[in-house]
Amino acid sequence: MIEIDDAGGGCFIGPEVLVIHHLETGSARFLYIPPQVENRISFATELLKAAFTELAITNQEPIQLCRGEIFDKFQEHLEQRGYHVIRQKVSSATDSLAEAEFMEVLYAHGLPRNIKLRNRNYQELYEMVGFWYFSQRKRSLRGLLKTRLRPPYRLKHVTERYPNLFRMLFQEEAAG
């Protein structure tokens, strides 16, 4: 069985990560939707079509898609080609792969590694990412802003009001 999941779609920075996970072999392919993409559903569909061709995934293999709307057009594409598609929550293994890859992308841009997704609490994670983002004030991070999402004003307001607090907090956390 092939499972497909996404991570990072609700975060206002960074790319969205898609994963194609072959459960029997454990192999995984990661695909990335850049932050500047506005029509993520069409972009994801094209990425997945190309990956299916490249990976030679046939319609003999059952496909389990995450329930997110990002996969709606791809589901139609697969069903038109005779694939057996199941729409339900993917396994924790596939979910963990997508989430871990999204976090690695953020860490590569400087997010302190002590900021983690805990108990699938995305609101808390995205809030901490926001505080980190606004406390950095680096031009290099501006390219991470998603075109289709607006940063939460409250996070920007709090970090502007207490800039040294957040800079010190994230410097200490990153150092130790």
Side-chain angles (χ1 to χ4, degrees):
M1 166 146 336
I2 302 286
E3 288 189 335
I4 303 174
D5 196 11
D6 68 315
C11 190
F12 73 95
I13 67 166
E16 188 164 357
V17 174
L18 307 177
V19 62
I20 301 171
H21 182 210
H22 191 270
L23 292 178
E24 288 76 18
T25 66
S27 65
R29 167 72 64 92
F30 296 101
L31 308 169
Y32 306 91
I33 301 173
Q36 299 78 19
V37 170
E38 288 190 38
N39 189 340
R40 68 193 252 280
I41 294 173
S42 293
F43 195 90
T45 301
E46 294 307 313
L47 277 178
L48 290 164
K49 284 180 187 179
F52 263 53
T53 300
E54 188 178 317
L55 296 169
I57 299 172
T58 69
N59 64 3
Q60 303 304 305
E61 187 83 47
I63 309 296
Q64 186 165 324
L65 291 174
C66 171
R67 294 175 287 195
E69 83 285 347
I70 192 167
F71 300 118
D72 290 349
K73 278 180 69 174
F74 188 59
Q75 178 181 357
E76 290 174 21
H77 168 80
L78 291 175
E79 288 173 343
Q80 289 170 357
R81 282 150 185 78
Y83 286 83
H84 175 66
V85 179
I86 304 160
R87 268 322 262 280
Q88 66 184 26
K89 184 168 173 35
V90 296
S91 68
S92 61
T94 301
D95 191 52
S96 293
L97 284 169
E99 289 171 354
E101 183 66 14
F102 175 67
M103 293 305 298
E104 284 303 317
V105 169
L106 293 180
Y107 295 146
H109 287 287
L111 181 72
R113 286 199 173 265
N114 69 311
I115 297 176
K116 299 182 182 327
L117 175 62
R118 292 176 172 80
N119 301 318
R120 300 187 50 78
N121 187 341
Y122 289 100
Q123 182 179 354
E124 176 187 77
L125 172 65
Y126 296 163
E127 188 171 84
M128 291 304 294
V129 167
F131 285 136
W132 167 76
Y133 176 84
F134 288 118
S135 71
Q136 297 306 297
R137 300 194 183 267
K138 292 181 183 175
R139 290 190 187 273
S140 63
L141 294 177
R142 288 199 183 141
L144 288 178
L145 281 174
K146 283 193 173 109
T147 305
R148 64 181 184 81
L149 295 176
R150 296 281 177 244
Y153 174 76
R154 181 178 62 87
L155 301 180
K156 183 177 180 184
H157 177 71
V158 170
T159 53
E160 285 175 347
R161 189 157 187 186
Y162 306 103
N164 293 330
L165 173 67
F166 286 102
R167 263 190 231 110
M168 288 177 7
L169 173 69
F170 290 120
Q171 286 171 356
E172 287 175 14
E173 295 295 336

